[in-house]
Amino acid sequence: RANSMAAVAEFASAAKSDNQYQSRWNFGFRGGMHAPVWRSLAVHLRIVSDNLISREDSIPAVELYRVGGYGSVRGYPDYQYALRSVTYAQAEILAYLAQNSSVYILCDGGVGFPRRIGVSVEDRADLLGYGLGMRFTTRLGMLTVEWARSMQDVRGLGRVHVRFQSPLAMDTRL
C-alpha cells in the first residue's frame, strides 16, 4: 500500500415547483497512509470527511452520507447513520504474516451531524468502534474478516464484517 490523498467538490442547483431554487454544496476529503514501523509491523491510517451544505431544513435521505459498517466506522450496522456532514478516521496496527496477509487491531472514530453542525450532544452523532481483524490472500482473492464493537455495544457481542475481493475487483480506494 502507498500513501495517497484525494479531494472532491461539487455544486448542484435545481428549481422547485414554486419557482424557488434549492442548492447544495458537496465537498469531501480522503487521505491515507501505510507506514512500516518495525520488521513485520505497520500502521495504516485513513481519514474521510464528507459534507453537504444547504439552506434547506429537509434533505432527502438518499442524498445524505451513510456511515457505519465495513467501509466506514466498523462495529456499527452497515449504513446505520444518515448524516449531512461526517468526519471519521480508521486506524490499524498490522502484523504481517506474509506479503499480503496480516492480523491487526483496529480503532475507528469520528463525528457526524444529521441536521446542522453544532457542539451540543443533540446536534451530533459520536462514533467509535474497535476490534480485531485479519486479511489473507487466497487463490481466488483477498479475504478480510473483522470483529468490531461500537461504543454503544454495552452488552452486545459486536459485529463480524466479512469481505472478499477478487483480483479483478480489487479497488484502490483509500
Side-chain angles (χ1 to χ4, degrees):
R1 294 187 179 186
N3 301 336
S4 56
M5 283 194 292
V8 177
E10 66 180 53
F11 173 76
S13 181
K16 289 182 167 180
S17 59
D18 56 358
N19 287 336
Q20 293 180 347
Y21 284 92
Q22 59 186 10
S23 61
R24 296 181 180 88
W25 282 92
N26 292 328
F27 61 93
F29 171 82
R30 287 159 174 61
M33 68 166 251
H34 182 269
V37 176
W38 182 70
R39 293 189 185 182
S40 62
L41 292 177
V43 173
H44 178 235
L45 301 172
R46 177 177 177 240
I47 187 165
V48 174
S49 179
D50 286 317
N51 302 280
L52 173 71
I53 306 299
S54 175
R55 291 183 187 193
E56 299 168 58
D57 290 331
S58 177
I59 300 287
V62 70
E63 294 185 32
L64 300 174
Y65 297 104
R66 302 299 258 170
V67 178
Y70 178 82
S72 57
V73 182
R74 296 165 284 193
Y76 290 90
D78 290 336
Y79 310 117
Q80 178 176 353
Y81 292 99
L83 304 166
R84 278 189 182 212
S85 295
V86 63
T87 299
Y88 62 87
Q90 294 181 320
E92 299 172 356
I93 299 173
L94 301 104
Y96 280 97
L97 307 173
Q99 183 175 356
N100 290 322
S101 298
S102 61
V103 293
Y104 52 93
I105 298 169
L106 64 93
C107 184
D108 302 344
V111 63
F113 302 94
R115 286 175 229 82
R116 62 183 177 89
I117 296 176
V119 294
S120 71
V121 176
E122 295 83 28
D123 291 335
R124 69 176 194 264
D126 296 321
L127 309 166
L128 179 66
Y130 57 92
L132 304 169
M134 59 184 163
R135 280 188 198 101
F136 291 100
T137 303
T138 68
R139 290 182 185 176
L140 300 175
M142 181 73 68
L143 175 65
T144 303
V145 179
E146 296 173 332
W147 167 83
R149 291 185 66 186
S150 70
M151 69 178 174
Q152 286 87 3
D153 263 342
V154 177
R155 292 192 172 120
L157 297 175
R159 302 212 169 342
V160 175
H161 303 284
V162 178
R163 182 177 184 182
F164 176 77
Q165 290 178 285
S166 73
L168 298 175
M170 293 278 197
D171 64 7
T172 57
R173 72 177 176 87
L174 300 171

